[in-house]
Amino acid sequence: YAVPVSRLRETGDAYSQAQVCRASGAFNENALRLNQHEDPPIVSVMLRPGIFDLLITRGNELRFFTTFRYQSTGDFIYFLLFALEQQQLTPDQVWVRAYGEIEKISSMWMVSRKYIRNFSLGSSFENMGYAYGFERFNPHQYHNLFSQYLCVL
């Protein structure tokens, strides 16, 4: 997660052994783990306000990763479909899993479902359990937060 450089300077030697990595690093690691037994390419999308990460895996192999900035739903679907075309994946056949800031009542969801047949909300790890109370949260929204510790195992 993002930490301002000024904050890192303030901490000095207190956290000198800490590793700082991008949120997309946790997303990449988790997508590779979730999709490691999937033979067809799987597209994973992590949506944040104004930006989204797009990751394509096949089995445990990272095939493609990029980040796009968007201002509207139209921008989002354009960049997503463009990336699929560049990777020679067809919207009628590829599986796309969305994480982050997207809901089934949002315009992003509706437009994505219109153009991509197999567009769904991502899930968490099946063999992972969380404390009571976390069950009320949608796993696709807090995917990185719930599974970031897996990056250090």
Side-chain angles (χ1 to χ4, degrees), residues 25-37 44 46 55 97 99 121-130 138-140 142-151 153:
F27 177 59
N28 292 354
E29 290 288 327
N30 294 330
L32 285 167
R33 282 190 179 98
L34 279 170
N35 303 330
Q36 67 184 343
H37 300 295
S44 301
M46 173 61 76
L55 174 76
R97 296 176 182 157
Y99 300 89
L121 297 177
S123 60
S124 59
F125 295 96
E126 292 178 6
N127 59 351
M128 230 10 115
Y130 300 103
N138 294 322
H140 76 276
Y142 301 99
H143 181 74
N144 272 0
L145 182 62
F146 290 160
S147 53
Q148 66 182 333
Y149 65 90
L150 293 173
C151 292
L153 294 179

Side-chain angles (χ1 to χ4, degrees), residues 8-121:
L8 289 175
R9 287 188 195 122
E10 290 174 10
T11 60
D13 294 330
Y15 299 103
S16 62
Q17 300 299 316
Q19 293 181 343
V20 179
C21 61
R22 296 180 49 167
S24 60
F27 177 59
N28 292 354
E29 290 288 327
N30 294 330
L32 285 167
R33 282 190 179 98
L34 279 170
N35 303 330
Q36 67 184 343
H37 300 295
E38 303 284 343
D39 185 46
I42 302 292
V43 178
S44 301
V45 177
M46 173 61 76
L47 289 134
R48 299 186 303 268
I51 192 169
F52 73 94
D53 297 323
L54 184 139
L55 174 76
I56 301 174
T57 59
R58 184 168 191 167
N60 61 356
E61 178 184 340
L62 174 65
R63 303 291 297 263
F64 181 76
F65 174 78
T66 192
T67 300
F68 292 105
R69 292 190 182 279
Y70 68 93
Q71 295 180 357
S72 67
T73 300
D75 291 346
F76 167 73
I77 198 66
Y78 172 81
F79 290 132
L80 179 55
L81 291 173
F82 177 75
L84 294 179
E85 178 185 342
Q86 294 301 307
Q87 295 298 309
Q88 300 174 347
L89 299 171
T90 59
D92 285 342
Q93 296 175 348
V94 71
W95 288 89
V96 179
R97 296 176 182 157
Y99 300 89
E101 298 198 19
I102 187 169
E103 289 295 327
K104 288 188 175 182
I105 58 171
S106 69
S107 61
M108 292 249 209
W109 170 264
M110 292 179 197
V111 169
S112 298
R113 293 282 297 168
K114 179 179 179 179
Y115 290 102
I116 301 170
R117 179 177 299 188
N118 301 307
F119 189 88
S120 63
L121 297 177

